[in-house]
Amino acid sequence: MLASRGSDSRIERRLFAPLPPLVLVLLIAFALRLWQLGAQSLWYDEAVSVFIAQQPLPDLIAHTAGDVHPPLYYILLHVWLALAGSTEFAAAYFSLFFGVLLVALVCRLARDQFGTNAGVIAAFLVALSSFNLWYSQEVRMYTLVACLAVLSLMLMARLWEFRERGGGALAFQISNFRFLIVAVAYVVVIAVGLYTHYYFAFLWIFEYALITLALVVRWLRARRAAVRLVIRSDAPKDATPRSAHYTSLFDWHFIQILILSLFAPWLPTAIRQATDPPVPPWRSFVAPSAALLESFGALTFGQSLPMMTGWLLVLIAVVLYGLGALAWQRSGATLSALALFGATLAPLVMIVVVSLIVPLYHVRYIFIYAAFFYVVLALSMSWLARRSIILAVLLLGLYLGGSLYAEYFRRFDAAFAKDDYRRAVQYIAAHTRAGDAVLVNAGYIYPAFIYYYPHAIGWRGRLADYRGDESSSTLVVAQTGSLDASPHLGWGNAASDFYATDEGTTARALDLLLSKHARVWVLRANDTVNDPRGFIRAYLSTHALEFDEMTVRGESFVTAQGFIARTSAASIAPTASINATFGERITLLGWSGTPTATAGSALPLTLWWKSSAPMDVDYHVSLALYDATGKRWAASDGLPVGALLPTGDWSPNVVLPADASLTIPRGTPPGDYVLQASLYDPLTLKSLPVAAGADGTRARLGRVQVARATSTVLAQSTPALVVNQPVFDNRVALEQVQFSPARVRPGEAIHAELMWHALDAPLDDAIVFLQLLDDKGRLWAAQESPPVDGRYPISQWTAGEYIRDARDLLVPPDVPDGRYHLMAGLYRMRDHERLSVRNSWLPFTSEVLELGSVEVKGREHVLKAPTGIGTPARVRFGDGIALIGYDVQSPLAASRNLTLTLYWQSLAPMSTAYKAFVHVVGASEQIVAQRDSEPGGGALPTTGWLSGEYLTDRYVLEFPPNLAAGDYALYVGFYDSQTNVRLTIFDADNKNVGDRWLLRKVTLR
């Protein structure tokens, strides 16, 4: 039958003598399968594999018995995951191993039958096959069962050889130990294959039928020969008697009985799974022509090759495959070709035929028998190589090009990407908070959720079993059932992944779920299988408000959705009440969350909102963390509730709990901070005023304690010390430096962000200094203070800790134009000795470190008083600013705009950048128009004023179009934008006249 070949041809020796080609092919196969292994998310079937394999063995077997697959693959994967871990890479490596082993087995099969050329070519075809690469990277049993398929055919061929050499006896050759080993191995491989995948039975049936048919044919021939013996006297004396063929048939069937005996313990379960599947029907009928076309396309170049562009390559491969049946002309060759052809085509035909009654076909199952296709293809190419090496190389090149073409689509085309459960579940995990629930719909996709959800799950079960007392401080996960399905679904087993339910039961369970949880997340994937009429989607659309949604790539339309229950939201109160009203229409009722955080981590919050009236603006919320001095250390911005529920869609008097998160940057010093919130229009960036519980436009939520990062967090977040990092006194490194702007005007500040890294502890308290030097080393500006303004002294730092230190260096107004050097350093407080700093690989140290260069570009200073001032004045604001006059444009009623020009004089240098305000006030002290900004629209900061210079400052105020005519007052003043404290005003007689100066009355007509 499948006879071995004893020697290689001269062409084979010439082609392959220089190096062991199989080793090279195996290395290529391994590299291709290793590339991007585990990079994509596990899809549903793969997640099920890992989920089942991670269970204890008794539970694993029980779970498999209620599914549609036999247990052996999961048992082996269980052992592997216990040794290698359960990452995507580790789980897929199990399939990779058998995928590479399959290459070697195919080489051995083809070499034994058709020679070295055919063996290496077959191995090359399998190594580069996109079909094989696909399943060698999938956490399923297909590469394992494909290896078993090749082994079974090889062992079957060996059994036939024993039969041929033994004069017709197939089995019970007790004296032949090698035969016993092969026979036992064949029995075990077939049984193991059946315990691995039920579709292995189609190959087993083919092998049984093939040997049985061959034995029957031999028996018929022997019978005719026996008849001739009666007539002819010269018949050969050593002719095989007919009894030997009877014995072979008996022995062959005895082997089948042994196989069935090994599979018997699982056979009742297998029959029940096949005749009464416990899962909802998911396979649909595929026309035989479409099944054959899809199968041959996958066999040749994989499932990802676009048939519209690759059909010619597939056609060439199919023609070559057919040529393989005629390519080998020697004794027994016809039967060899029949065996290899049948090993691929017979199971495919059986599946297609049975699918006419019960849908069984899916292209992935054809992979079990795919190896034999490549052997026949290699036989054809090897036959052509003996006649034209150029033609054979050309065909191999076409195959390589087609495989790479298909593999490109598989790896980079989103249409062939796996369902990205990882991203969907991680999105839910990043937004869920204590008290939330997750509805897994369809419920059988929960293994993917469990695999990727990183936090604890308080309760998980069927939605129909939810009783409302399962809520916990972690998470509730409810799995939906199959609506209006057969009551026998899942065999009525309470532990089954699948169960039948109806709309009434589902509605009552959802009512209870939404009454207990203000927010419910939904993970959906192919939910039309268990909810064909979309009842759950319709229910959620009427009983809850969808505020968030994300659909990930993949063919199953995996979607993560967030819903707010209409009934329960108002009854669940926040832990901290605020009741701050923004713009008289939006109220922040309060927030829930732990008021503690660690530097480098996130502070999860839930904000509770309610609107009192409809809005036409989609406001954004800004969360910020401030220290006692008003300095901001952390901030985050976004929509208050979610992208699908902006403020413009809020219904009045509906309580909306919203997820929020504030990341505390690495290096934030430990201590007490104040958490504040504000609402602003993202188009105009104007913030809404707060009516209660706030200062200005920011609502005070409460205090937050930032704790020092633990050693574990430091170890996880600390990068390796870079060689070129400056190190002070070999104990403190300056890991990161950022400063801005690179071009500055006199009076502006250079803002520097320094990230210190304590390499040792304890450390001596020290002062950080910044300096601005010119090329000659002359000092023009300096700033020095302890890190973090002394709130977290260096002596309290721990080894490995990061500290973020922000400071501003004010450029004096008299600094000439030019380029300057920004320098930094440390000196000890106890002796004022500077710490030496070693920078990069340089062998020497210094006492100061250059952070970078800064260009100073000033403006012209006017030291002569302006002329032509419309209304002279002599008013002093604080100790440094004098108003010497102003001009007001008239008439006022024409454009409804007021143009005001103010003339200032600097009396003394100022270290504070004050803001000027111009207000138009009505009779009831209501401000009807205003403008607040630094002088010159920010171009003339007070910190840049030279003593004695004069400045011209212009403002344009817009009046509301519906402002009533009448008299209004025009005021001007200054205030510190950090503290909102106004400067005191003194008149010409040096008399204190308050904190705003009345310029004049204006009349609107």
Side-chain angles (χ1 to χ4, degrees), residues 379-397:
L379 168 62
S380 178
M381 290 185 178
S382 176
W383 180 79
L384 289 174
R386 287 179 168 79
R387 287 149 181 81
S388 173
I389 295 180
I390 296 177
L391 179 59
V393 171
L394 177 62
L395 291 173
L396 280 175

Side-chain angles (χ1 to χ4, degrees), residues 859-874:
R859 58 177 174 79
E860 182 181 358
H861 297 279
V862 179
L863 300 177
K864 183 179 179 181
T867 59
I869 297 177
T871 304
R874 194 62 188 174

Side-chain angles (χ1 to χ4, degrees), residues 426-746:
Q426 288 177 349
Y427 185 85
I428 293 176
H431 293 82
T432 52
R433 296 293 175 259
D436 285 2
V438 173
L439 187 68
V440 181
N441 184 33
Y444 51 81
I445 63 174
Y446 73 89
F449 182 84
I450 293 175
Y451 181 79
Y452 283 114
Y453 190 73
H455 311 304
I457 297 175
W459 180 86
R460 179 180 65 83
R462 295 177 172 182
L463 175 64
D465 296 336
Y466 181 75
R467 296 296 176 265
D469 54 354
E470 296 86 354
S471 302
S472 69
S473 59
T474 50
L475 193 74
V476 165
V477 178
Q479 301 160 204
T480 62
S482 295
L483 275 74
D484 299 324
S486 169
H488 199 54
L489 184 66
W491 299 337
N493 185 357
S496 173
D497 290 342
F498 310 95
Y499 69 98
T501 186
D502 53 53
E503 294 181 358
T505 302
T506 301
R508 288 190 294 271
L510 288 174
D511 286 340
L512 183 59
L513 186 72
L514 293 179
S515 69
K516 296 294 184 178
H517 302 276
R519 302 193 317 164
V520 174
W521 292 88
V522 178
L523 179 64
R524 292 173 45 200
N526 273 340
D527 54 333
T528 54
V529 173
N530 70 312
D531 187 10
R533 293 191 293 182
F535 172 77
I536 295 177
R537 294 194 301 274
Y539 177 94
L540 291 173
S541 66
T542 57
H543 292 76
L545 299 170
E546 185 179 4
F547 67 89
D548 202 358
E549 179 175 312
M550 184 191 68
T551 300
V552 299
R553 66 180 186 176
E555 64 179 1
S556 298
F557 305 103
V558 179
T559 304
Q561 295 174 286
F563 290 89
I564 295 176
R566 295 179 184 270
T567 56
S568 66
S571 62
I572 303 176
T575 56
S577 297
I578 302 300
N579 291 318
T581 301
F582 295 85
E584 301 181 354
R585 288 187 295 179
I586 300 178
T587 301
L588 177 57
L589 300 175
W591 64 287
S592 298
T594 304
T596 59
T598 303
S601 65
L603 176 66
L605 306 167
T606 300
L607 305 179
W608 302 76
W609 300 94
K610 185 176 73 170
S611 65
S612 59
M615 290 161 285
D616 54 2
V617 176
D618 293 332
Y619 293 103
H620 283 209
V621 61
S622 175
L623 292 174
L625 206 63
Y626 296 87
D627 62 16
T629 65
K631 180 181 176 181
R632 190 175 69 178
W633 286 88
S636 69
D637 292 70
L639 291 165
V641 176
L644 299 183
L645 197 59
T647 57
D649 294 340
W650 289 6
S651 300
N653 300 318
V654 175
V655 178
L656 302 174
D659 170 60
S661 180
L662 181 64
T663 299
I664 312 299
R666 185 174 63 122
T668 301
D672 288 329
Y673 294 83
V674 177
L675 180 64
Q676 298 186 2
S678 60
L679 281 178
Y680 65 93
D681 185 340
L683 299 179
T684 64
L685 299 182
K686 290 184 177 180
S687 297
L688 293 176
V690 183
D695 180 13
T697 60
R698 300 197 299 259
R700 178 188 174 100
L701 274 65
R703 291 191 173 276
V704 172
Q705 179 72 30
V706 175
R708 176 183 293 160
T710 63
S711 57
T712 303
V713 174
L714 289 173
Q716 294 174 349
S717 62
T718 301
L721 185 65
V722 183
V723 177
N724 62 357
Q725 287 180 352
V727 180
F728 292 83
D729 201 25
N730 294 322
R731 306 185 73 191
V732 180
L734 185 57
E735 186 205 56
Q736 188 177 22
V737 176
Q738 292 180 338
F739 66 88
S740 62
R743 183 172 181 177
V744 65
R745 293 174 295 188

